[in-house]
Amino acid sequence: MAREDNGGYDPSAIEEKWQRLWEERGINTFTLDELRDAEDPFYNLMMFPYPSAEGLHVGNIYAFTGADVHGRYQRLRGKDVFEPMGFDAFGIHSENFALKIGTHPMDLIPSNVKNFTRQLRRIGGMFDWNHAVDTTDPSYYKWTQWIFLQLFEAGLAERKEAPVNWCPSCMTVLANEQVIGGECERCGTPVEQRRIAQWFFKITDYAQRLLDNLDHIDWSETTLKAQRNWIGRSTGAQLHFPVVDEDGRDTGRAIEVYTTRPDTVFGATYMVLSPEHPMVEEVTDDALRAPVYAYIDTAGKKDLVARQKVHKTKTGVPTGGHCRNPATGERIPIWIADYVLMEYGTGAIMAVPGHDERDFEFAREFDLPNRRVVAGPDEDADTPLQEAYVGPGRLVNSGPFDGMDTSESVEAVTAWAAENGWGEMKVNYRLHDWCISRQRYWGPPIPVVHCEVCGPVAVPEEDLPVVLPRVEDFKPDDTGISPLARVESWYRTECPGCGREARRETDVSDTFLDSSWYFLRYPSTDFDDRPLDAEITRKWLPVDTYIGGNEHAVLHLLYSRFITMALKDLGHLDFEEPYDVFRAHGLIIREGAKMSKSRGNVIVPDPIIEEYGADTFRTYLMFLGPFDEGGDYRAQGIQGPFGFLHRLWDTVTSAREGEPDADVERKVHETIRQVTEQIPQLSYNTAIAALMECLNVIRAGGRTAFRAEVEPLVVMVAPFAPHLAEELWERMGNEGSIFDGARWPEYDASKATRESVEMAVQVNGKLRATISVAKDASEDEVVAIARTEENVARHLDGKEERRVVHVPGRLVNFVVG
RNA sequence: GCCGGGGUGGUGAAAUCGGUAAACACAGGGGACUUAAAAUCCCCCGGGCUUCACGCCCUUGCGGGUUCGAGUCCCGCCCCCGGCACCA
């Protein structure tokens, strides 16, 4: 239960009042002219939410408040802060929810958006509602489709076959997250993989640039690391292994392999092809076709998740075919195994069981030869291999390279292979092309028409948007293709190229495409004839600060970087990195665990805001832990900020005129220094603690404050508790909004200096006394005072003094023997 | 397995160019004011020993090390959280 209100501070009344005034007076919104004329633009971006039926959760509010605090701080520093908000409302999430409750996403989303908007206003964010976006609005996805066309025309979109998860019982395509332990989330049937033609964006063409630019952008270190790992650059060699017949003669064909350890080629005792490898048929003996095809069939049916399970026992079949190891000249067998992935490298490997754990395991399973070619310390060429040795050492059993250290062998062997024409240096990335096709309903239709004569043809720009039709039966069904493929009246069309009857693409695009460019759209929502206005975009982009969850460290943040780069290359933008600064925030947990419905530890924000007010809730969320780490939510904890804001109210509303007290003024200036330093670092919890401490000093002993003492406090608390600050600002006799009228207080060092400082006195590193000395006291003076302390003298008595350590302003340490 | 981030009082947490560990706050205890309650203000609040008091010892996951001095740096472990995971 909230404490009784003690006279004046009535959060619900003043919050209602200021939310109304902000809107009536357009305090947080920009007109087109204001966007054009802004003198000191600051684009403060946060990750737009998916508008669920449950409404805003605490995690959303935490993230938005943290970002809003930053925006409001910048505004008080005099910036023109643009802080837009929108809704990422397409996608499988909404679609599944609509299916579950038996409604249509086109009915569901508007009511969810309405509810979210209400809640977002209620928490007091500085959102510019004049520039909101909704990804499901045709006026938005028209331009999402336009982006597809830009990439398509630039050759950055291509259609190719790729595996999808397929539930044979539901007869439908499943997203990876719908596959739980290899089974369909809905019916429990084991999931298979199927291959269908899908659209891909060639993000891999940009892999190196996406990696290189990470060195120049100011992002959270953890996010940078995640992106580097995801791009996964590795250097090695591509080697050619000639295919030979039963007599060892070259067939004129070769298998290409990629390896990061070309120096272990002398230990390659067999080859492995991925089951999808195009040369499987060619190398398989007639006698072995039946088991080989049976194996490929089984591997193909395994779903994509199960296929990637580590530590399962290795499976595979021999093809009967052979290669020649180009380093040793040996004839080695070719196998097929699903531990080799077609998506990485060349889809084929040279197996070196002595020095690769997976190959070792496979060789043991199938009794294949194993040879040591690297000797570690205390090992030699004949030391038996109990397990794969992957450490450093020197080459052995490696012909001309025997004795060479592994620190130089990769380079040396690659050079040798190149000289002899069977290999070259090669860089590889783990990053795959971005599959944007979804065999679903709730997304923007991919703007392509398939014509029997012309092939896939882009929908002309003037025909955009390709509007998603309202289809009552949007459930994926046993046709196995997109629900739109059942709507003949929609997909039957004319080829834009030749005019013949043609068929629209019936897949929709990935939600990540919607969100890959929303920040580009916000400042240009005043224009419906272009996706982005050049002048406005030049003024406002790139984004100054982007704050969001690290769960999007790779996908969203990488895709939006890629789209930005591509649009730059196509002449639509003059920058290639979308966000100057990105900061990842932490996660709110409860009772040490992530909040989830199944745990029953979810916090419903509305009743808390109802009871304590948005200002208290915001301040508490920012106080409960460091913003970049998150924290543990405890219902009791809100009492701290609640009492603090109440006391601040009482103190300010009863403040008198007059000269401030010097000690109090010093504390105020120390606080200004600290808060001004900590807010930009997102150290909100300690900034709030400093404000509390300052108020405690101002109020000590029930003292009545002077106005000049509390005024800076009102401004500094405004980012956290904007409504309260507005009201107090007005009551102090100011006109208009504090965010327009106030300036962030300036730290004045002369007002913050102390005449004396507290210093610690140690003997052999143990604290024996604290002394108060003049700020500018010399070392001799300080040491002399320290000696006079009784407890210090006692510990020095009878001991030989070896050294005195003096750290000015901090401590004195007597080292005695 | 790999890559991040952590481990500090009853609780959320402060303090990392090495320099008085536990700021701020919650919970708890005591007091002032009050007919009473609320609100407000003051005091106590890591463990142990001792004491009128002063004081002493121990304490930042564990074990070593460097240093006048280590929560902070180095070496070796343990545990928790998040992400990736047969990437050759």
Side-chain angles (χ1 to χ4, degrees), chain A residues 5 78 131 215 256 345 356 417 436 483 521 621 636 660 667 684 710 713-714 718 729 782:
Chain A
D5 175 44
H131 293 91
D215 295 336
E256 300 295 317
D356 181 280
I436 59 138
R521 180 61 183 163
L621 288 175
Q636 286 276 1
K667 184 68 190 176
Y684 299 145
V710 292
L713 235 54
V714 172
W729 177 254
V782 171

Side-chain angles (χ1 to χ4, degrees), chain A residues 68-89:
Chain A
D68 187 58
V69 168
H70 190 256
R72 289 185 178 278
Y73 168 75
Q74 293 297 344
R75 180 146 172 194
L76 286 162
R77 300 239 60 158
K79 305 266 190 199
D80 296 311
V81 179
F82 179 52
E83 190 173 298
M85 180 47 73
F87 302 98
D88 189 17

Side-chain angles (χ1 to χ4, degrees), chain A residues 611-682:
Chain A
E611 185 174 349
Y612 294 95
D615 284 336
T616 295
F617 192 48
R618 289 169 60 104
T619 308
Y620 175 52
L621 288 175
M622 297 302 100
F623 180 63
L624 56 67
F627 187 63
D628 58 354
E629 285 173 34
D632 204 346
Y633 187 97
R634 293 163 314 124
Q636 286 276 1
I638 201 168
Q639 296 296 343
F642 186 65
F644 165 64
L645 295 184
H646 261 95
R647 287 191 294 277
L648 182 65
W649 173 276
D650 293 343
T651 311
V652 174
T653 52
S654 62
R656 57 191 156 144
E657 297 296 330
E659 275 297 297
D661 185 272
D663 283 344
V664 172
E665 191 171 45
R666 192 180 61 230
K667 184 68 190 176
V668 169
H669 276 271
E670 282 171 354
T671 306
I672 292 170
R673 186 183 53 75
Q674 191 180 343
V675 172
T676 305
E677 185 184 305
Q678 292 183 332
I679 287 187
Q681 297 169 350
L682 314 189

Side-chain angles (χ1 to χ4, degrees), chain A residues 46-47 49 56 60-68 85 120 123 127:
Chain A
M46 58 200 86
M47 289 177 174
L56 275 182
N60 294 135
I61 298 179
Y62 184 68
F64 297 151
T65 302
D68 187 58
M85 180 47 73
L120 286 164
I123 62 168
F127 306 121

Side-chain angles (χ1 to χ4, degrees), chain A residues 248-262:
Chain A
R249 288 185 298 251
D250 282 14
T251 63
R253 301 273 283 155
I255 291 175
E256 300 295 317
V257 302
Y258 173 72
T259 176
T260 54
R261 292 298 303 275

Side-chain angles (χ1 to χ4, degrees), chain A residues 661-675 689-699 703 709 712-713 716 747-748 751-754:
Chain A
D661 185 272
D663 283 344
V664 172
E665 191 171 45
R666 192 180 61 230
K667 184 68 190 176
V668 169
H669 276 271
E670 282 171 354
T671 306
I672 292 170
R673 186 183 53 75
Q674 191 180 343
V675 172
L691 293 170
M692 288 173 167
E693 210 175 319
C694 185
L695 185 64
N696 289 346
V697 169
I698 291 172
R699 288 170 63 86
R703 166 180 183 279
E709 295 166 355
L713 235 54
M716 288 190 287
Y747 169 65
D748 181 344
K751 289 187 171 141
T753 41
R754 293 167 178 275

